[in-house]
Amino acid sequence: MLFTVSRIARPTAAPVSKAVQARNMATLKEIQQRLKSVQNIEKITKSMKMIASTKVSKAQRSMDSARIYGEASNSLFTNAETKSAEEGKALYIASSSDRGLCGGIHSSVSKATRKIIADQGESQIVVLGDKPKAQLSRILRKNIALTFNQIGKDVPTFEEASSIVDLIKTSEIEFDTANIVYNKFNSVVSYEANVLPVYSESAFKASPNFAVYEIEDDVLANLQEFAFANTLHWAMVEGHAAEMCAKRAAMENATKNAGEMIQKLTMTFNRGRQAVITNELIDIITGASAL
């Protein structure tokens, strides 16, 4: 009778152990695949962090020089006490880039632009970068007059800013004041949306201290275009420096989160593998004891 019981016990126990083992092996395989994918993501984010770190110093050097030229150019309007007309037309330039994976750097410019348009009323917008274009197009599509892309691959140059100003001039967009919305670089971990004003020829002529400079009309046109391009270059370069610092911080956080996920997945994988080994030992012991 004992021999008959042992013959019946072995085939009934085998399918159960195989089913449990199959489920555990499938789960372990999925965990292992996910673990490999997270490890690959960690390698990518770590590499992007290193690349952004090397670009930060170069962007800060370019920002310092562009800020000096920009402040010197804007001092002309400050000393002339130039102000925008109360009923004058305003143009807003949202300056950002095409690249992502840099935190809320683009949302900062888009939110500031939307807030200004909501307060000031209907005004035309020129967008620099695909990211702010996608964000502003959802609400302010009718206000967008021009858009530019291929921005942010490297440190913006004065030639790029001059080309943008030329296209704005040739598009016959009328404005008395152009307000450039950009990310002001405060520190390597801090930035904020800021506005740089650029005045038209008529607004500069109406300044109280304009007569002190004794500028001729043909020279005034060239001076206004240069001041426009110089200020735009300042905003673009400073926004690029803030973007590189934000990207480095974002990739550092992503690498840290990937490391924590790798630890959790490794622990889960080890526990599941240990459970499979334990189940196999139980099957062996059960089969041996049944003999």
Side-chain angles (χ1 to χ4, degrees):
M1 188 65 181
L2 290 175
F3 177 78
T4 306
V5 172
S6 65
R7 292 287 298 271
I8 296 174
R10 277 183 291 179
T12 55
V16 176
S17 62
K18 288 182 179 180
V20 173
Q21 185 177 1
R23 286 201 302 270
N24 288 335
M25 289 302 295
T27 305
L28 290 177
K29 187 176 181 180
E30 292 175 356
I31 294 173
Q32 192 173 16
Q33 290 177 350
R34 188 176 181 186
L35 183 60
K36 288 182 179 180
S37 64
V38 175
Q39 288 174 344
N40 293 333
I41 292 173
E42 185 187 27
K43 292 178 182 178
I44 295 172
T45 55
K46 188 178 292 184
S47 300
M48 294 182 68
K49 174 193 170 185
M50 294 175 63
I51 294 172
S53 298
T54 57
K55 290 183 178 180
V56 164
S57 57
K58 179 181 178 182
Q60 286 181 345
R61 289 194 300 268
S62 301
M63 178 193 66
D64 293 336
S65 59
R67 182 181 288 177
I68 293 172
Y69 285 107
E71 290 176 349
S73 178
N74 285 353
S75 64
L76 177 69
F77 301 107
T78 303
N79 295 330
E81 298 181 0
T82 306
K83 296 181 180 179
S84 58
E86 294 182 358
E87 298 181 356
K89 295 182 179 180
L91 173 67
Y92 294 93
I93 303 175
S95 176
S96 194
S97 71
D98 302 339
R99 300 298 182 92
L101 301 177
C102 50
I105 200 81
H106 307 299
S107 300
S108 174
V109 173
S110 300
K111 289 179 180 178
T113 305
R114 288 198 299 265
K115 184 178 180 181
I116 293 172
I117 296 297
D119 296 338
Q120 299 296 330
E122 296 295 328
S123 298
Q124 290 184 309
I125 304 173
V126 175
V127 184
L128 309 184
D130 287 336
K131 292 295 182 179
K133 175 186 174 182
Q135 295 174 354
L136 293 173
S137 297
R138 301 168 188 168
I139 301 176
L140 304 174
R141 182 181 294 273
K142 296 181 180 179
N143 299 77
I144 298 176
L146 285 175
T147 61
F148 298 87
N149 57 4
Q150 303 298 323
I151 297 172
K153 291 184 177 180
D154 200 357
V155 178
T157 61
F158 184 77
E159 288 77 12
E160 294 177 354
S162 300
S163 300
I164 294 172
V165 171
D166 290 339
L167 288 174
I168 293 175
K169 289 285 188 179
T170 55
S171 63
E172 298 180 355
I173 299 177
E174 297 181 358
F175 64 92
D176 295 318
T177 306
N179 298 296
I180 305 172
V181 185
Y182 72 106
N183 285 309
K184 181 180 179 182
F185 180 89
N186 294 330
S187 65
V188 293
V189 295
S190 175
Y191 61 88
E192 62 180 355
N194 193 27
V195 179
L196 286 175
V198 179
Y199 302 99
S200 62
E201 297 178 34
S202 58
F204 186 43
K205 281 184 178 180
S207 302
N209 298 333
F210 174 75
V212 176
Y213 294 99
E214 299 180 356
I215 302 175
E216 299 179 359
D217 293 339
D218 55 346
V219 177
L220 179 61
N222 295 331
L223 178 62
Q224 195 276 335
E225 290 183 6
F226 172 76
F228 195 172
N230 204 10
T231 306
L232 182 60
H233 177 239
W234 174 18
M236 292 173 65
V237 173
E238 189 155 351
H240 179 75
E243 179 182 346
M244 289 298 104
C245 292
K247 180 170 290 187
R248 182 178 65 177
M251 292 301 101
E252 184 177 0
N253 293 332
T255 304
K256 181 180 178 182
N257 293 336
E260 294 177 355
M261 187 175 291
I262 288 171
Q263 291 180 356
K264 293 180 180 178
L265 289 174
T266 303
M267 186 177 296
T268 304
F269 178 78
N270 292 335
R271 287 178 178 174
R273 187 175 59 178
Q274 187 65 38
V276 172
I277 296 172
T278 304
N279 290 332
E280 291 178 353
L281 291 175
I282 291 174
D283 291 342
I284 294 172
I285 296 171
T286 303
S289 63
L291 294 176

